Amino acid sequence: MLLVAGATALADDTRMPGNGPRVEWVYGYGGWYTEEHPHAAIEAADGGFVVVGESTGATRSRIFVVRTDARGRELFARSYGEGRYNLGNFLLQEADGGFLVAGSWDAGSDAVQEDRVLLRLAPDGEVRATRTYPAPRRDAIEGVTVNADGSITAVGYRDAAQDELNSFIVDTGRAFVMKLTGDLDVVWERHLPGAMFQAFRVQPRTDAPGWAVFGACIGSGEQTRFCLSFTDEEGNAAAPITYGTRNSHPYDFDAANGGGFILTGHVSMCPDGCWDGLLVRVDATGRELWSVSFGEPNGGTPERMFEECYGVRSVPSGGYVTACGSGVEPDNEAHPDDPLNPWRAYVVRVTETGTIQWQASYGSPNTNNAAEFVLPTRDGGYAVFADSDEHGAGEGANIAIYKLAGDPGDPPR
């Protein structure tokens, strides 16, 4: 289905307090259903941006894909999926200029069930192929990578409980890794070790053949932990390595500069569940090198503030950048008119050793904006993809792209 999106461009600087880069432009898209949520994005070969997520209404949701030019002007906006519930979790651009979209697809049965899905799209968003990979109950592909021989490795979860209607932590699922041909046929599928219940992203190993899979594990006290599982070329996985001693929610990782990986998500900092952002740097074997937590970019009582981080990328000139939301959950709004209550699009860059280089939040002070993903761009800046009540045509949450300038002294990439 072709979507009609509302877009607005701003040239003014919409930073809140902080020392991050200025905003060059921001566009909003949405108004299709009640709200839209971006989950991943790429800078396409032509310099534009492509973002995937879901558009959700009261009783159903659709995968959406929006493609823009390099200035954020919409080239197309399309949705995919019928029935009740469909998720768009990840995408990449293929060699012919088209796109591979990973997610979850309503199975069309009387029971509540979603199947794992890959959509192969033409450069204009038209569907070339739809492949589902059925399993019992609720299933999704969360991340994919294309291998040197053209095969595809996919990870995610399967067999999740039917009442878990979200794409965040699905703690009743079973993590899997699956290898596919370039034509999307299954070569093999493996369950990851039992402690890992959800796999979010996959990267080639940097120390041996096989893959590193980042996901969520059950740790001591039944708390969720960041974890990494390393597989061989056939998907046989070693026991996962877990990180941290507190309840934490993992979401994204990337190959680190110089080998190894950078992990992001958030960590619970108080008994009521308030969160700080968290970055963990590991070497190629999964050994932790450092970790850093951060939060309250605009002040506020830490026990009330929630920093929730969902995307991380290595910066080619050095260091790492992560995208988060910073705000107050509804149950903690002791003062509904407090200016700290609205969510901010919160972006943090750290050095190679984990020192915070800059942090800033973006968006108007009285309107919700929460960053979900970030990309270092080829011109030396950053593209931040956010949930937004401020930008776009819809009355609920839309999506926005904040294009940030580069850091002083950093060369174009």
Side-chain angles (χ1 to χ4, degrees):
M1 179 172 65
L2 185 65
L3 302 172
V4 179
T8 56
L10 298 181
D12 60 323
D13 195 336
T14 59
R15 281 177 297 186
M16 296 296 290
N19 60 343
R22 64 180 177 84
V23 177
E24 294 182 329
W25 52 259
V26 55
Y27 265 97
Y29 320 83
W32 308 313
Y33 289 128
T34 305
E35 56 186 44
E36 285 76 46
H37 300 285
H39 291 308
I42 59 171
E43 185 177 16
D46 63 3
F49 301 102
V50 190
V51 56
V52 66
E54 69 230 26
S55 183
T56 303
T59 60
R60 60 182 184 175
S61 66
R62 301 286 181 267
I63 298 169
F64 76 72
V65 175
V66 177
R67 184 172 187 178
T68 78
D69 67 12
R71 292 288 300 174
R73 291 168 294 208
E74 181 191 310
L75 300 178
F76 71 74
R78 294 182 182 271
S79 74
Y80 310 88
E82 300 297 334
R84 290 157 297 200
Y85 204 67
N86 305 271
L87 298 173
N89 294 328
F90 195 75
L91 86 163
L92 50 79
Q93 189 164 27
E94 299 193 281
D96 65 356
F99 307 99
L100 190 66
V101 173
S104 186
W105 196 256
D106 192 287
S109 63
D110 291 336
V112 177
Q113 180 179 337
E114 288 83 46
D115 291 334
R116 299 166 291 180
V117 71
L118 289 173
L119 300 177
R120 179 158 271 158
L121 307 181
D124 65 357
E126 288 287 343
V127 177
R128 288 173 168 168
T130 303
R131 291 294 301 269
T132 59
Y133 305 91
R137 306 202 296 177
R138 313 188 82 99
D139 319 294
I141 296 174
E142 298 269 17
V144 294
T145 188
V146 175
N147 305 309
D149 63 359
S151 65
I152 295 162
T153 304
V155 299
Y157 64 88
R158 50 177 291 174
D159 309 332
Q162 293 179 332
D163 59 352
E164 294 201 75
L165 288 169
N166 67 72
S167 58
F168 294 98
I169 293 292
V170 181
D171 57 11
T172 63
R174 298 182 66 189
F176 72 86
V177 58
M178 180 167 60
K179 187 175 181 181
L180 309 168
T181 68
D183 293 328
L184 309 184
D185 297 322
V186 176
V187 179
W188 48 252
E189 178 179 351
R190 310 275 188 261
H191 284 297
L192 290 161
M196 184 182 284
F197 60 83
Q198 188 169 4
F200 284 100
R201 298 289 188 257
V202 59
Q203 294 271 351
R205 292 177 65 165
T206 59
D207 64 332
W211 296 273
V213 181
F214 179 53
C217 285
I218 294 293
S220 61
E222 296 300 304
Q223 292 186 323
T224 303
R225 298 280 192 273
F226 284 29
C227 62
L228 272 176
S229 186
F230 293 92
T231 82
D232 64 17
E233 290 180 289
E234 297 299 316
N236 301 302
I241 304 166
T242 59
Y243 304 92
T245 59
R246 295 172 180 256
N247 192 38
S248 55
H249 283 185
Y251 285 101
D252 194 23
F253 86 139
D254 195 20
N257 300 312
F261 304 95
I262 184 73
L263 325 176
T264 200
H266 35 273
V267 59
S268 179
M269 302 300 291
C270 59
D272 292 334
C274 58
W275 302 97
D276 270 4
L278 180 64
L279 288 168
V280 180
R281 173 73 163 89
V282 304
D283 67 13
T285 67
R287 179 175 63 94
E288 182 176 327
L289 303 178
W290 52 257
S291 65
V292 60
S293 61
F294 41 85
E296 295 78 55
N298 304 309
T301 303
E303 289 75 16
R304 290 184 58 225
M305 303 304 295
F306 285 68
E307 278 69 50
E308 301 176 3
C309 300
Y310 295 101
V312 67
R313 284 295 175 266
S314 298
V315 180
S317 59
Y320 309 96
V321 62
T322 186
C324 318
S326 175
V328 178
E329 294 286 7
D331 290 345
N332 286 339
E333 289 185 355
H335 306 287
D337 296 327
D338 189 324
L340 294 174
N341 282 337
W343 285 78
R344 312 290 197 270
Y346 178 34
V347 186
V348 180
R349 180 176 173 180
V350 303
T351 67
E352 286 290 344
T353 56
T355 300
I356 293 177
Q357 183 171 334
W358 55 257
Q359 58 181 325
S361 58
Y362 298 88
S364 297
N366 299 313
T367 309
N368 290 315
N369 294 275
E372 302 278 354
F373 201 75
V374 62
L375 293 172
T377 52
R378 296 188 194 107
D379 64 359
Y382 305 89
V384 178
F385 303 84
D387 295 332
S388 178
D389 289 349
E390 180 176 5
H391 308 293
E395 294 183 1
N398 305 303
I399 63 171
I401 303 175
Y402 288 85
K403 175 59 175 67
L404 308 185
D407 297 309
D410 273 4
R413 298 166 192 134

